[in-house]
């Protein structure tokens, strides 16, 4: 399983992904699920991957090789808008699926790679998308400012209660990390390290990126203080009649 | 879908169930999923039902008719211990499955009734069980003091953070209701009214039972204060470096 979250705020975009992959409970591994395409002062595009690792790695490689060939409008570093960039990702997904699907189907496996893609290109506003495994996609807005993929349920209530597109980057970051903490407590197939980017609106570069590993002291403090805070809130709630 | 929670505390047992049933998003109905077998001063046994409604209603009817025939050790009102009572429920489930299964299978439907059963009989300690659709069952203890059935994921993190078997009945009740609130916000197939029983250890009768309907003012106040409390906790958490 996987857990990835993207949040589109007025002040920026938050991207977070876990790093655990597994093929059964006896076969765990660690892979980064976050990919950044960046040209400082011009564009930042962040991809969060979920689904079959062979599929998502193939898509990322197709995208990287496309860029290495040189900044055309049909690659991620050349796309004029975020919409065009997401179409490029979608096309790469369909290319990989076209190549792999019949071999996967022979073993009754589906092509299930999917992505959260967001960022900013030039003067365009920041944008955030969620691409389904079929390659079609939706875009976040003020009503629904975040997307999750993977094991989404355990960590959703806290996002629902706290996040609006006006939440500060700092509060939203803490909220996303609490959402990860809740998810990792309940599903062993979601695990550290957590890759985290807080993109600041208009910066057109990644200034705040961090990897939170097992035992990270600030994550542990956040988790402990959150748990204590929540228990205090309960103690202060009025009793039912 | 359904959401039911049973919590075994040192001071008592909490039972809570939603009331929504559905066959598709265009076919909703309201049915109580909580059944009480009570002889004041002698026993309280509470069942929370999930799964196919025809199956759970049939099981409840088999149990009630058994009791009407008169208090034998092989019915719920005559069982000597909670373990024996749960075996009676399990037997009733298997009777109904034996009768229905082949007709359900013809339409590729499985018998999926399952129950949370708890309470107290005479001098025995309070006990809490979860019966699977197959009729086998597990019992809660100090390490895992609660069981959920139905749409369990959205509401689980808050139970994990707050509940131990030493939590007070009052705090645990509020925690269970917040768990319901989180679940109902995320899954439309879980809905009001919520049936709630707080059983007090040794009382051998149901003294605190309540049905919380749509717009219930104390539930609305709890939900609002919880949301505000949580946002305050975030504002007080230290920022990440």
């Amino acid at each position: 399983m996987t857990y990835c979250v993207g949040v589109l705020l007025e002040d920026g975009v938050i991207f977070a992904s876990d790093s655990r992959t597994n093929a059964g409970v006896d076969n765990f591994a660690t892979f980064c699920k976050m990919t950044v395409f960046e040209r400082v002062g011009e564009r930042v595009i962040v991809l969060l991957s979920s689904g079959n690792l062979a599929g998502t790695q193939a898509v990322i490689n197709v995208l990287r090789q496309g860029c290495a060939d040189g900044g055309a409008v049909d690659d991620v570093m050349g796309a004029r808008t975020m919409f065009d960039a997401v179409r490029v990702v979608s096309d790469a997904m369909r290319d990989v699926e076209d190549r792999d699907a019949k071999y996967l189907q022979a073993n009754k496996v589906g092509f299930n790679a999917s992505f959260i893609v967001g960022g900013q290109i030039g003067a365009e506003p920041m944008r955030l998308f969620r691409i389904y495994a079929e390659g079609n996609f939706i875009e976040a807005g003020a009503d629904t400012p975040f997307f999750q993929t993977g094991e989404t349920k355990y960590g959703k209530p806290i996002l629902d209660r706290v996040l609006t597109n006006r939440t500060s980057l700092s509060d939203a970051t803490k909220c996303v990390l609490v959402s990860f903490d809740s998810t990792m407590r309940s599903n062993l197939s979601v695990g550290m390290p957590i890759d985290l980017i807080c993109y600041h609106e208009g910066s057109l570069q990644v200034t705040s990126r961090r990897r939170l590993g097992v035992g990270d002291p600030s994550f542990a403090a956040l988790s402990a203080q959150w748990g204590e805070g929540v228990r205090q809130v309960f103690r202060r709630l009025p009793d039912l009649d």
Side-chain angles (χ1 to χ4, degrees), chain A residues 20-229:
Chain A
R20 189 163 285 175
T21 65
N22 75 299
V25 288
D26 56 350
N27 189 353
F28 281 93
T30 302
F31 286 91
C32 179
K33 301 171 189 176
M34 177 182 279
T35 307
V36 179
F37 292 89
E38 178 183 25
R39 186 178 294 123
V40 173
E42 197 263 329
R43 74 180 58 207
V44 168
I45 299 172
V46 181
L47 277 73
L48 306 176
S49 322
S50 2
N52 181 280
L53 187 64
T56 58
Q57 286 194 343
V59 170
I60 298 297
N61 273 293
V62 167
L63 296 174
R64 286 205 183 287
Q65 292 196 174
C67 295
D69 292 343
V73 292
D74 59 352
D75 68 45
V76 173
M77 292 302 283
R80 290 175 308 122
T81 65
M82 281 298 298
F83 176 77
D84 287 348
V86 173
R87 279 197 163 171
V88 172
V89 179
S90 165
D91 288 345
M93 291 166 66
R94 288 167 175 174
D95 286 349
V96 173
E97 178 169 21
D98 287 345
R99 183 182 147 84
D100 287 355
K102 73 174 175 183
Y103 300 95
L104 297 174
Q105 278 160 12
N107 279 321
K108 301 192 193 309
V109 180
F111 177 83
N112 70 347
S114 72
F115 294 88
I116 291 171
V117 184
Q120 190 167 25
I121 297 178
E124 203 189 27
M126 303 171 296
R127 299 174 76 176
L128 181 70
F129 298 84
R130 191 231 190 285
I131 316 184
Y132 298 108
E134 294 80 5
N136 56 343
F137 53 85
I138 57 174
E139 182 172 4
D143 290 331
T144 299
F146 67 86
F147 289 134
Q148 303 166 283
T149 55
E151 177 55 275
T152 61
K153 291 187 178 186
Y154 297 112
K156 185 165 184 285
I158 194 62
L159 302 178
D160 280 332
R161 301 244 188 213
V162 173
L163 291 183
T164 73
N165 63 330
R166 297 192 163 185
T167 307
S168 72
L169 264 172
S170 164
D171 281 1
T173 301
K174 291 182 270 184
C175 180
V176 166
L177 291 178
V178 167
S179 175
F180 268 77
D181 189 39
S182 296
T183 305
M184 291 187 300
R185 282 165 181 260
S186 291
N187 189 331
L188 291 178
S189 75
V190 177
M192 296 275 207
I194 299 167
D195 287 295
L196 177 69
I197 284 180
C198 299
Y199 174 78
H200 295 262
E201 201 280 322
S203 66
L204 296 171
Q205 61 179 308
V206 176
T207 54
S208 309
R209 179 172 184 165
R210 185 154 165 191
R211 168 164 271 213
L212 301 151
V214 176
D216 181 278
S218 52
F219 187 81
L222 190 82
S223 173
Q225 289 190 43
W226 166 251
E228 183 47 41

